[in-house]
Amino acid sequence: MQSVSAGAILDRIIRQQKRMKTEVAAAVQLIPQRLNDLIMGNRRFTPQNSLVLEAALDIDIAGFFYLIQANHDIYLAKQEKEIELKEREVAITERSLEAKVKKQAE
């Protein structure tokens, strides 16, 4: 299963509503670069900017973007943990194989 970032969802919603990013930025009193930073994931959603964007985009779920961001962060943390566990398993297997080879060489 994959996770989609809050910024990507914001971008899709803006496109679906056939609105310009500059128009949305102006409606929520953000400079366009700040909105783009949210979309690109270079800036994190706060509860405040999430609520303001939801109102401007007629989204009736309080904290929508903020909650999506939190879920996405959890997904990424789980993925990172899985990678760490696999790397540990590989390291243990490599050490075990090295020990067997060394023992056979003796």
Side-chain angles (χ1 to χ4, degrees):
M1 189 171 133
Q2 265 191 334
S3 176
V4 179
S5 71
I9 291 173
L10 173 58
D11 191 41
R12 286 183 195 167
I13 291 170
I14 291 170
R15 287 184 201 189
Q16 285 177 346
Q17 292 184 3
K18 294 181 177 21
R19 295 176 74 179
M20 300 291 294
K21 292 177 190 174
T22 52
E23 172 197 344
V24 174
V28 297
Q29 298 179 338
L30 281 176
I31 61 171
Q33 183 58 43
R34 291 274 191 275
L35 181 65
N36 195 54
D37 286 346
L38 288 167
I39 290 170
M40 300 304 294
N42 297 328
R43 185 173 291 273
R44 298 183 57 75
F45 285 88
T46 64
Q48 294 81 7
N49 63 25
S50 183
L51 291 170
V52 170
L53 282 162
E54 293 151 21
L57 298 169
D58 295 322
I59 296 171
D60 294 332
I61 302 168
F64 181 73
F65 295 109
Y66 189 71
L67 294 170
I68 291 170
Q69 176 179 270
N71 285 326
H72 185 65
D73 290 347
I74 291 167
Y75 172 82
L76 294 176
K78 283 182 175 181
Q79 293 296 319
E80 192 173 301
K81 188 69 173 175
E82 286 179 23
I83 290 169
E84 287 175 16
L85 291 173
K86 287 179 183 177
E87 287 174 348
R88 283 187 198 154
E89 289 175 9
V90 168
I92 291 169
T93 302
E94 286 175 348
R95 285 194 301 265
S96 176
L97 289 172
E98 288 170 0
K100 285 181 182 180
V101 168
K102 186 177 180 180
K103 189 175 183 180
Q104 289 177 351
E106 294 175 352

